Every structure is written in structure tokens, then in C-alpha cells.
């Protein structure tokens, strides 16, 4: 699969927090499938947190992602990560309805 090919290739590290272990990435993908969104805390850029949710077509294939990011010192804010993630997931689902 495309995921297996990716995990078997060289995995570059952007920061010290970047996931490069295939098992950890697989667990993160499982979390994404369960929750419908996933957070990254300083994994792509120091001091930057982000959350993303998939946009899928009518076949259930991911065709895009809805993504938000902000400075780690205030995003997502105390106790707001789950609420922001759910809102992003629900918005991505609404966009998915429009994808043919």
C-alpha cells in the first residue's frame, strides 16, 4: 500500500519531536481513524502546533485535508484540543459531502 511504501522509505525529521518510527506513525494513523482528527505538537516546526482532519470522496478515499496551526504558546490553549479537533473533524466531514 501507499502507507507501507512511505513507512519503508527514509523518514526525515523536521524537529526533535517529528515521528520517524514506523510503529509510532502507525499508532498515530490508528488514532486518526478513531478520532477523525490528529494533533501534532512541534513535530513540523519548533513552537508550532497543528491539527488536521481528512476530507474524503464518496468512495471514502482521502483526497485532501483540513489543517489548522498556531503558535504552541497559545494553540490549542488549555483544555481546548479536543473541542478544536472535533470542530475541525466535523467541518472536514461537511466538506467531504461536497466532494464527488
Amino acid at each position: 500500500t501507499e502507507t507501507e511504501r512511505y513507512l519503508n522509505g527514509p523518514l526525515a525529521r523536521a524537529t526533535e519531536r517529528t515521528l520517524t518510527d514506523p510503529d509510532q506513525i502507525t499508532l498515530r494513523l490508528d488514532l486518526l481513524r478513531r478520532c477523525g482528527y490528529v494533533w501534532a505538537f512541534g513535530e513540523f516546526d519548533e513552537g508550532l502546533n497543528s491539527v488536521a482532519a481528512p476530507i474524503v470522496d464518496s468512495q471514502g478515499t482521502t483526497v485532501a485535508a483540513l489543517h489548522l496551526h498556531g503558535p504552541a504558546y497559545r494553540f490549542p490553549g488549555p483544555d481546548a484540543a479536543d473541542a478544536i479537533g472535533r470542530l475541525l473533524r466535523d467541518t472536514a466531514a461537511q466538506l467531504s459531502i461536497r466532494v464527488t
Side-chain angles (χ1 to χ4, degrees):
T1 67
E2 192 172 329
T3 302
E4 290 169 339
R5 283 192 300 277
Y6 173 78
L7 293 176
N8 288 324
L11 301 174
R13 185 178 297 277
T15 74
E16 289 298 316
R17 292 183 173 190
T18 303
L19 292 184
T20 57
D21 177 84
D23 292 335
Q24 289 180 337
I25 295 170
T26 299
L27 289 173
R28 178 71 61 84
L29 291 171
D30 291 342
L31 178 64
L32 171 61
R33 288 181 191 102
R34 282 194 317 274
C35 296
Y37 64 90
V38 67
W39 279 93
F41 297 99
E43 295 177 42
F44 301 106
D45 196 356
E46 293 292 335
L48 188 70
N49 293 337
S50 61
V51 60
I55 297 172
V56 299
D57 66 13
S58 60
Q59 304 301 310
T61 301
T62 299
V63 296
L66 188 57
H67 169 258
L68 298 172
H69 67 267
Y73 71 89
R74 68 175 181 191
F75 185 73
D79 304 319
D82 191 50
I84 292 169
R86 287 191 319 263
L87 181 60
L88 187 73
R89 177 198 61 209
D90 295 348
T91 302
Q94 289 297 312
L95 292 170
S96 294
I97 292 170
R98 300 177 180 275
V99 176
T100 57

